Amino acid sequence: MEKPGDNSTFANQVQRLHRLTVYFRWLFVLVLWLVVAPLAIWDLRTDIQLWREHFTWTAVRYALYFRPLATLGLSLCIGMTMAVLIWQSRNIIWGLPEQEQKRLEQQVMRIRNQGSSHPLWKWICG
């Protein structure tokens, strides 16, 4: 079996898998904002109408306190967005951590070993 560090094709495949991971994370965040956020905002619609007339931070606080599902939904959207932003920024600024690099390399090896029956085969090796 070939060594992962000796093959530029392997390095390209690891890079493709990382890129695919980034795309899937952002896709998940997008789905959250398209599905969960509108439901949360819909739950807050009467409070938002009040905010438009007389905005105070206390009104926002109480609306979020007394509408826990809306608060949970918006918190999930904001939290996941921030998590992906921080994760991707860390990878851009300092590069991939060694542990994550090894995990990606192992995943590419599993994809290669399974062959074309793996769902990610055509995006990673194809």
Side-chain angles (χ1 to χ4, degrees):
M1 185 174 288
E2 60 191 335
K3 278 191 166 184
D6 296 341
N7 191 350
S8 65
T9 304
F10 183 79
N12 288 338
Q13 290 172 346
V14 171
Q15 185 64 30
R16 278 192 214 135
L17 181 59
H18 178 259
R19 194 175 323 121
L20 194 63
T21 303
V22 171
Y23 291 153
F24 279 135
R25 286 183 185 211
W26 281 114
L27 180 65
F28 180 69
V29 167
L30 179 67
V31 168
L32 281 177
W33 280 104
L34 291 176
V35 175
V36 176
L39 294 172
I41 292 171
W42 181 258
D43 190 28
L44 290 169
R45 67 189 178 279
T46 56
D47 298 305
I48 291 171
Q49 188 176 25
L50 176 67
W51 299 344
R52 290 180 63 187
E53 295 173 12
H54 306 286
F55 181 83
T56 63
W57 287 108
T58 304
V60 174
R61 181 176 176 260
Y62 277 100
L64 294 175
Y65 181 78
F66 287 109
R67 305 232 187 253
L69 289 177
T71 304
L72 180 66
L74 290 175
S75 298
L76 179 67
C77 292
I78 293 168
M80 285 303 297
T81 303
M82 292 305 297
V84 173
L85 277 172
I86 291 169
W87 173 80
Q88 190 172 5
S89 297
R90 181 205 63 190
N91 292 344
I92 291 170
I93 294 170
W94 291 297
L96 283 173
E98 186 177 327
Q99 182 180 6
E100 192 166 345
Q101 181 71 28
K102 286 183 181 181
R103 184 190 63 77
L104 289 170
E105 289 172 358
Q106 290 171 353
Q107 182 67 25
V108 168
M109 290 307 292
R110 282 194 295 267
I111 293 170
R112 282 177 151 193
N113 290 338
Q114 186 172 339
S116 60
S117 64
H118 194 282
L120 297 178
W121 170 264
K122 65 180 178 179
W123 287 297
I124 305 303
C125 301

